[in-house]
Amino acid sequence: MVAAASPRLDEAFDALGNVHRRRLLMGLRRRRHARLEAATRDAAVGGGRNRDRLEVELFHVHLPKLADAGFVEWNRHLGSVARGPRFDEIEPLLRFLDENAGELSAGGCD
């Protein structure tokens, strides 16, 4: 029996579908809020990306997407990112990814 896809689950997988969004959300799992610079460092870990370019990408693509989904609260003016009202819905998936990082990265999940 195959479980029917849930719009909320689809939204969570969409949010986690990009390595930079995953890393940013993992950073917020460790601490409740961050400045954009710290969120950029979290998103860049192990990625070899230009941080200035990544910060622009976060500002224009990833943070709006995560904020629209309610997973983060993002204050553009203050440059701060915090857990959003729906963060608790995605936290079990983040915990699973964190606890199984060794097994999952061997399969190319990172």
Side-chain angles (χ1 to χ4, degrees):
M1 177 176 195
V2 177
S6 156
R8 287 187 179 263
L9 187 57
D10 288 346
E11 197 171 16
F13 282 132
D14 186 42
L16 296 170
N18 177 277
V19 65
H20 302 300
R21 289 194 298 267
R22 279 194 307 276
R23 290 177 180 155
L24 187 143
L25 289 166
M26 288 294 222
L28 288 176
R29 184 172 181 259
R30 288 188 296 277
R31 58 184 180 279
R32 293 192 162 294
H33 54 83
R35 304 281 306 150
L36 182 57
E37 298 81 20
T40 301
R41 279 194 306 275
D42 288 340
V45 170
R49 294 282 306 265
N50 176 301
R51 281 202 181 150
D52 291 334
R53 183 174 175 201
L54 179 56
E55 190 168 309
V56 169
E57 196 175 305
L58 288 172
F59 193 89
H60 291 286
V61 178
H62 302 303
L63 286 168
K65 182 180 195 79
L66 293 172
D68 287 347
F71 298 133
V72 302
E73 287 185 355
W74 174 43
N75 186 318
R76 291 176 185 239
H77 304 294
L78 296 177
S80 64
V81 182
R83 293 179 183 185
R86 292 184 57 209
F87 188 86
D88 288 347
E89 293 177 27
I90 204 166
E91 199 280 333
L93 291 171
L94 295 170
R95 184 176 352 105
F96 175 82
L97 292 172
D98 193 29
E99 291 171 355
N100 296 282
E103 293 178 46
L104 295 172
S105 64
C109 291
D110 192 34

